[in-house]
Amino acid sequence: MLIKLTGGTVYDPASGIDGQQQDIYIRDGRIVAPPTDGAPVDREYDLRGKVVMSGAIDMHTHIGGGKGNIARTLLPEDHRMDPVPRTHITRSGNGHAMPSTYVAGYRYAEMGYTAGFEPAVLPINARQAHMEMGDMPILDKGGYVLMGSDDFLLRMMTANKDQKAINDYVAWTLQAAKGIGIKVVNAGGINAFKFNQRKLDLDEQNAYYNVTPRQILQTLARAVQEIGLTHPLHVHGCNLGVPGNVDTTLNTIQGVEGLPMHLTHIQFHSYGTEGDFKFSSGAAQIAEAINSNPNITADVGQILFGQTVTASGDNMRQHANHRFASPNKWVCMDIECDAGCGVVPFKYKDQNFVNALQWAIGLEIFLLVEDPWRIFLTTDHPNGAPFTSYPHLIRLLMDRSFRNDMLATIHPEAQKMTTLASIEREYSFNEIAIMTRAGAARIIGLKDRGALSAGNWADITVYTENADRQAMFTKPDYVFKDGELVVKDGQVVKVTWGTTHIVKPEYDLSIENDLKPYFDKYLTMKLGNFKISDDEISEDGRGSLTAHPLRGAA
Amino acid sequence: MTEITEIPSPFCGIGTDDLAIQVDGVSLKVSTNGCAINTPAFEQPIADTNPRVSGQAASLDAAVAKAAQLLRDTSQPVIGGCATDVNGMRALLALADKTGAVVDNINFPAARRNLLALQDSGWMNTTLAELKNRCDLLLIVGADLEAFAPRFFERYLWNQEAMFLDDTANREIIYLGKAPSGNASTSPSGRQATVHCCSDSDLPDVTAALSALIKGRLLQAQSVAGIAISDLQAIADKLKAARYSVVLWGAAALSYDHAELTVQAICNIVRDINLQDTRCSGFPLGGKEGDQTANQVCGWTTGYPARVNFARGYPEYDPFLYDSQAMVNNGEADALLWVQAFNSNARPQKSDLPTIVVGRSGMKFDKEPDVFIPVGTPGIDHPGHAYRLDNVVAIRLKKLRDSGLPSTAEVLSAIEQAL
């Protein structure tokens, strides 16, 4: 079937197209060149006057894995406020802070998103992450595998194993857990918490292993580079949420010594200690550091006001933050000599000085980082806010007067501590398309996604332009996933199943000579049972795997 | 005959995956690492392979059609048991969504004690590998651990090597409440567990006293439920002095009113110790025969653990109201679907409702259900996934034989399609 999207105003930054009117053709799920063989168009959509972008990609969103289910179980009261009835084509569920999987898939699609990436896949919990994401309709998905607090790596580092052996272990883990990138959370800190360390700064040693977060970051960043992963090491830094952590973050940027590094939810790592409340914005310094270090990318982790729940692998920091839990209940877990998790409900309030300044800091970073290819639109769902707040966030970025109206309503002392009012920048459609589409696909290493040129998969979102950008981005006219119309007028009209994006880096099989006895002696599962097989993803008939080439490969 | 090794068990909850089983046609014999729980569960012979409708042999298609007919136009069907693998639970929830059914896991009354504590205040817990490598003090509250899981001590405490302990035999084991039924808790070097007995019904008082001592409160009483306060003080001191203590409880064993408050007291003890500058973690027992699987899959599908009602077109959670047993007894349901793929002895309650059983081959009934469809057991007759008791690890179940029995998921999906 040949589908023609006629006359839309196209924003396709990957192809250098910035608001030009053009037709798009779709055949067999992919975008194709205008047919020259006179083939008839089977279906035509008149998109004249409408804005066309590729499907949006959330490169950091907690949509799969055990901590999400803990968060769900912890907050029945939050679900009760947002029940989602079944329809003749969609399943029922619940929404708001941590929606059920089906609802998350529908809601993402209804906002024009066609892919989401879970950034904290604990290897031992990877099966669950994939099973949850497997129950998330429409979206493509994938995960970054969490390392850096696993005892095997720290033992290797203490034993001064060479980088090649570590690379083999990292590649082995990626394959076993079926990920597309490597994530590190509070490098070594989750592990240190198990030895009763309550904080771990960049150059502080693990009490048992004598390695520092800086060494772990360098080792893993090098592994990612040498294995050839496209996605840089995905780093949740030390000292999340700690006033003064801007210094740690700047130090981390320097510490990685020019290797590619992605700093995630950087808003939570950009705090100074100035002012009466000993809490201030480090956004300008962070933005300057990003601007001047081309190896660094970041996503923001914007907070937005209201009830949410924070779900993190960083149980060291989550334990420290439990006193802010609202409602007052929280979960921390140590997990399988692999990692940990902490789940703490939060209610961000615009009249709370710290929360209000956090809000401003995130926006400052968005607006002060110059290159939209290196900054990404996230709320660190659900940590900063549920992903359903993205259209509101887009309006804050695109509409200065709206932003300043909102600024005028927050805690007055926070208003005094931010330079937000003086920042004139308004994001353009092209820049929004970069940070939510083209840039995201590029940094994750997705071939054939995030662009509208011939050969790409036809993930396409069509909006009616509206001066109220929130309204515009809340309800696309059409969303196509792999060429199929899945959303019309903001409502799911067809349920499809996306693919799971992975990489398959090679490794020296002899790494299993070390891993097998480690599993037998210390862990609770046999090595063979730990590895996730392809059929686990595909056996239910819905899932599939899409392996992407490594960097430098064809 | 072939031997399959490194087989994971869905029966014991503790995730043993080192079983070896000899397969001879459809008969199985556990040759290595069997136990009182796993061996009979694996070795149980296949009894019936044919579905029955009104007690008469029927084809699978006919049984599915009859089941769909019984569920069609019901106002409040209930789906009880919910003992299956991840795919089985996925299909069960799809069917419940379509029919507006109540979904109720067989062991929810026990799990509820944990869930109420979790949903009121949360907890700090750990998983088996951490326990295996770190735990230097294990406090067991109100549970007979070795009866629950015969291999727990051998596998996770008396392991030859641990990463962070010089000698695992030096671990200290303390029982509070129930005495152990055997001597698995005695270390290989002969170190015995300390046992402070009290009746189950006294555990609320005992845990409250221990909680007060952890907080540093002075107690005027000299003893509580026959346990000297000085003994409880000694436990408190040891918990504070340990490097990584674990407090373990089994919600199923706490079968008295408002046992959730005891669970909460235990969880608060753990949290208080962590606020006093040492590490301690909780560890709830549970998770046999798909309990955690039901709660996990229901959790991501609906947002709630596995006692929900879809009658209004969306899932509603009430840990008391949607008790399938009570609903059947009280005449609040108009059809019963019982799903139990692991245990042929776990049968539905007797009722006059139209009853469909999707159960492990060999299930015997006092009253023949309208439809019985024998299904394969996950991890024996078909591959699948099941959650371990620590709720983090989903184990990959293997297919061991060709029995021709359909999976729960296949049967429930077929019923859903036929509606």
Side-chain angles (χ1 to χ4, degrees):
Chain A
M1 185 160 99
L2 184 65
I3 300 168
K4 183 183 182 190
L5 310 183
T6 306
T9 306
V10 174
Y11 294 88
D12 181 16
S15 315
I17 295 170
D18 179 7
Q20 287 147 262
Q21 196 176 34
Q22 67 172 45
D23 302 334
I24 295 172
Y25 292 87
I26 302 169
R27 177 180 275 147
D28 298 332
R30 291 190 187 251
I31 297 167
V32 294
T36 54
D37 57 359
V41 170
D42 298 290
R43 189 86 199 259
E44 182 173 359
Y45 295 85
D46 183 356
L47 303 187
R48 277 170 295 193
K50 297 192 186 295
V51 169
V52 182
M53 298 182 182
S54 59
I57 299 165
D58 195 341
M59 56 89 67
H60 183 111
T61 173
H62 294 283
I63 54 172
K67 63 198 175 304
N69 239 13
I70 293 171
R72 292 184 185 104
T73 309
L74 192 63
L75 293 171
E77 63 273 26
D78 193 61
H79 296 308
R80 289 194 179 105
M81 294 190 303
D82 193 2
V84 180
R86 68 180 273 109
T87 71
H88 69 288
I89 57 164
T90 58
R91 294 279 296 274
S92 70
N94 283 288
H96 197 243
M98 193 70 200
S100 52
T101 50
Y102 284 87
V103 170
Y106 305 142
R107 286 191 171 169
Y108 257 121
E110 286 171 350
M111 292 195 318
Y113 276 72
T114 51
F117 288 80
E118 163 60 53
V121 177
L122 318 190
I124 193 65
N125 188 242
R127 275 198 174 84
Q128 173 158 4
H130 288 299
M131 291 193 292
E132 286 191 32
M133 291 192 284
D135 275 350
M136 201 159 287
I138 303 174
L139 295 189
D140 284 1
K141 50 260 171 178
Y144 315 138
V145 175
L146 198 151
M147 302 184 76
S149 276
D150 47 314
D151 285 289
F152 192 81
L153 177 77
L154 300 180
R155 287 163 72 91
M156 286 182 97
M157 290 182 66
T158 301
N160 290 316
K161 296 275 185 182
D162 63 21
Q163 184 72 37
K164 157 130 189 351
I166 286 172
N167 296 353
D168 285 335
Y169 169 57
V170 171
W172 180 90
T173 306
L174 249 178
Q175 289 248 27
K178 299 240 176 300
I180 196 168
I182 297 291
K183 164 85 170 294
V184 57
V185 170
N186 186 357
I190 306 167
N191 185 282
F193 185 58
K194 297 170 188 173
F195 294 102
N196 201 30
Q197 286 174 280
R198 301 303 173 108
K199 66 173 196 52
L200 196 70
D201 213 337
L202 194 61
D203 292 309
E204 213 167 330
Q205 285 190 337
N206 179 298
Y208 182 83
Y209 291 107
N210 300 330
V211 297
T212 66
R214 184 192 300 272
Q215 291 165 334
I216 295 169
L217 288 173
Q218 287 174 340
T219 301
L220 287 175
R222 190 157 292 127
V224 165
Q225 170 89 351
E226 292 180 5
I227 292 168
L229 304 185
T230 300
H231 190 54
L233 184 65
H234 197 94
V235 175
H236 159 144
C238 313
N239 293 333
L240 179 141
V242 178
N245 63 12
V246 59
D247 293 335
T248 310
T249 308
L250 294 171
N251 213 345
T252 303
I253 291 172
Q254 294 311 314
V256 79
E257 297 176 346
L259 290 166
M261 179 170 66
H262 179 84
L263 294 169
T264 191
H265 42 70
I266 195 156
Q267 180 276 132
F268 289 106
H269 303 271
S270 303
Y271 304 149
T273 53
E274 291 164 22
D276 294 343
F277 297 91
K278 305 291 179 211
F279 184 77
S280 59
S281 171
Q285 291 161 275
I286 294 294
E288 170 52 28
I290 295 173
N291 289 338
S292 56
N293 286 280
N295 58 315
I296 301 297
T297 54
D299 65 88
V300 170
Q302 178 68 34
I303 74 140
L304 293 161
F305 303 116
Q307 178 72 55
T308 193
V309 57
T310 64
S312 172
D314 193 349
N315 58 357
M316 173 186 267
R317 292 301 314 149
Q318 290 291 75
H319 186 262
N321 285 331
H322 75 77
R323 62 188 192 279
F324 303 116
S326 177
N328 182 18
K329 50 185 177 179
W330 50 277
V331 169
C332 271
M333 287 190 74
D334 298 325
I335 296 176
E336 288 298 279
C337 301
D338 190 30
C341 86
V343 178
V344 184
F346 259 70
K347 191 168 190 179
Y348 295 107
K349 297 173 182 159
D350 58 3
Q351 297 311 310
N352 171 296
F353 167 75
V354 170
N355 296 166
L357 195 54
Q358 286 178 303
W359 176 86
I361 291 167
L363 294 173
E364 287 174 351
I365 294 171
F366 268 119
L367 298 163
L368 295 173
V369 170
E370 289 157 6
D371 181 0
W373 290 93
R374 293 198 289 119
I375 189 89
F376 298 91
L377 188 144
T378 65
T379 56
D380 187 18
H381 164 80
N383 293 308
F387 67 79
T388 42
S389 57
Y390 284 174
H392 176 78
L393 175 54
I394 290 172
R395 186 175 183 194
L396 288 168
L397 298 177
M398 296 190 76
D399 183 342
R400 186 186 176 211
S401 75
F402 175 69
R403 182 165 72 227
N404 284 341
D405 288 348
M406 297 303 293
L407 176 62
T409 66
I410 67 170
H411 192 288
E413 293 303 317
Q415 291 182 48
K416 289 182 200 162
M417 297 281 286
T418 173
T419 59
L420 195 56
S422 66
I423 303 176
E424 295 185 1
R425 183 175 177 187
E426 292 182 330
Y427 266 79
S428 66
F429 281 137
N430 197 53
E431 288 174 322
I432 293 291
I434 292 169
M435 65 171 14
T436 59
R437 276 102 167 152
R442 179 192 283 185
I443 196 175
I444 299 168
L446 300 180
K447 300 288 284 183
D448 319 335
R449 305 272 176 186
L452 295 173
S453 47
N456 279 275
W457 286 98
D459 295 349
I460 302 172
T461 304
V462 178
Y463 306 97
T464 296
E465 186 163 355
N466 185 335
D468 177 345
R469 304 306 194 205
Q470 182 172 342
M472 173 179 168
F473 281 93
T474 296
K475 196 173 174 183
D477 298 77
Y478 302 109
V479 180
F480 297 87
K481 178 75 185 71
D482 296 328
E484 292 199 74
L485 183 68
V486 290
V487 169
K488 186 168 182 295
D489 298 327
Q491 295 284 317
V492 169
V493 293
K494 183 177 173 66
V495 175
T496 64
W497 297 94
T499 192
T500 298
H501 296 288
I502 58 168
V503 284
K504 290 187 162 180
E506 289 180 2
Y507 55 85
D508 186 341
L509 265 175
S510 66
I511 186 70
E512 292 197 353
N513 296 341
D514 293 334
L515 279 163
K516 190 173 181 308
Y518 175 80
F519 270 71
D520 287 341
K521 249 191 252 175
Y522 301 125
L523 298 189
T524 55
M525 192 182 261
K526 295 288 183 188
L527 178 82
N529 290 328
F530 174 83
K531 293 192 271 191
I532 298 174
S533 61
D534 288 5
D535 60 342
E536 293 183 60
I537 307 284
S538 59
E539 72 189 352
D540 69 355
R542 303 181 308 201
S544 64
L545 289 164
T546 300
H548 292 271
L550 298 176
R551 200 166 27 76
Chain B
M1 182 152 59
T2 54
E3 185 176 66
I4 302 176
T5 58
E6 300 192 353
I7 293 171
S9 168
F11 301 107
C12 63
I14 66 167
T16 48
D17 74 340
D18 55 359
L19 280 73
I21 293 182
Q22 291 173 350
V23 183
D24 188 359
V26 293
S27 78
L28 305 179
K29 184 159 179 44
V30 178
S31 49
T32 310
N33 291 329
C35 72
I37 305 270
N38 286 324
T39 301
F42 274 105
E43 293 185 350
Q44 178 179 325
I46 294 175
D48 28 23
T49 53
N50 271 328
R52 297 194 296 271
V53 173
S54 306
Q56 303 298 311
S59 69
L60 182 58
D61 286 349
V64 163
K66 180 66 179 176
Q69 185 201 327
L70 292 174
L71 289 172
R72 202 172 289 131
D73 301 325
T74 49
S75 302
Q76 185 57 83
V78 298
I79 308 180
C82 301
T84 179
D85 63 338
V86 167
N87 278 341
M89 200 60 202
R90 282 168 160 161
L92 188 154
L93 289 161
L95 180 60
D97 200 3
K98 196 160 189 174
T99 55
V102 155
V103 167
D104 184 21
N105 173 242
I106 184 170
N107 289 326
F108 196 87
R112 179 175 61 198
R113 297 171 190 137
N114 289 339
L115 289 164
L116 290 174
L118 171 71
Q119 290 170 343
D120 193 58
S121 52
W123 57 32
M124 287 184 75
N125 284 348
T126 194
T127 66
L128 287 168
E130 301 291 354
L131 189 143
K132 181 177 175 180
N133 287 290
R134 294 179 189 278
C135 174
D136 54 351
L137 168 63
L138 177 65
L139 173 64
I140 300 161
V141 182
D144 181 1
L145 177 53
E146 66 178 281
F148 178 89
R151 295 185 63 209
F152 196 101
F153 282 98
E154 162 228 317
R155 207 173 137 92
Y156 300 120
L157 288 150
W158 310 137
N159 39 302
Q160 285 197 326
E161 273 188 68
M163 273 194 269
F164 312 113
L165 298 171
D166 293 334
D167 183 355
T168 56
N170 289 338
R171 298 185 204 258
E172 180 155 15
I173 313 292
I174 303 174
Y175 276 89
L176 187 59
K178 277 194 186 62
S181 56
N183 54 13
S185 59
T186 301
S187 84
S189 64
R191 180 174 180 166
Q192 291 193 319
T194 310
V195 181
H196 301 289
C197 284
C198 69
S199 69
D200 286 352
S201 58
D202 283 327
L203 280 170
D205 290 343
V206 171
T207 51
L210 180 60
S211 176
L213 295 170
I214 293 285
K215 287 191 172 82
R217 304 273 197 274
L218 280 177
L219 294 179
Q220 298 300 326
Q222 297 300 306
S223 71
V224 53
I227 300 173
I229 293 297
S230 57
D231 286 341
L232 291 178
Q233 183 64 54
I235 295 173
D237 293 343
K238 284 176 177 174
L239 286 168
K240 291 182 185 184
R243 278 195 304 178
Y244 194 96
S245 56
V246 174
V247 184
L248 179 150
W249 72 95
L254 307 177
S255 52
Y256 47 83
D257 286 350
H258 296 297
E260 70 274 12
L261 298 177
T262 305
V263 174
Q264 194 166 28
I266 294 167
C267 294
N268 287 342
I269 286 170
V270 171
R271 302 204 311 186
D272 283 339
I273 294 168
N274 279 283
L275 292 173
Q276 294 179 39
D277 202 32
T278 190
R279 288 305 320 275
C280 176
S281 278
F283 196 94
L285 289 183
K288 286 185 176 178
E289 297 177 355
D291 292 348
Q292 306 292 16
T293 307
N295 285 318
Q296 286 278 20
V297 182
C298 198
W300 76 62
T301 308
T302 73
Y304 302 125
R307 180 173 277 178
V308 294
N309 190 353
F310 291 87
R312 290 215 267 185
Y314 53 84
E316 294 180 285
Y317 166 69
D318 191 305
F320 296 94
L321 206 53
Y322 305 135
D323 179 336
S324 59
Q325 303 272 324
M327 291 181 75
V328 170
N329 290 341
N330 298 341
E332 298 170 61
D334 57 1
L336 171 64
L337 169 57
W338 182 255
V339 178
Q340 174 44 284
F342 292 110
N343 184 351
S344 53
N345 293 317
R347 286 162 287 195
Q349 70 207 102
K350 269 191 282 187
S351 85
D352 294 327
L353 296 177
T355 300
I356 304 151
V357 174
V358 173
R360 182 166 185 180
S361 167
M363 207 171 263
K364 299 270 191 292
F365 305 99
D366 299 327
K367 181 185 174 210
E368 175 73 13
D370 298 273
V371 178
F372 172 57
I373 304 177
V375 287
T377 303
I380 294 180
D381 299 301
H382 59 83
H385 292 101
Y387 277 86
R388 225 165 62 175
L389 81 171
D390 52 12
N391 233 354
V392 171
V393 181
I395 52 180
R396 173 62 167 169
L397 303 174
K398 296 183 182 183
K399 176 179 175 171
L400 307 181
R401 65 183 176 197
D402 277 312
S403 64
L405 287 163
S407 68
T408 313
E410 286 165 342
V411 170
L412 296 180
S413 296
I415 295 173
E416 190 207 336
Q417 293 302 313
L419 276 168

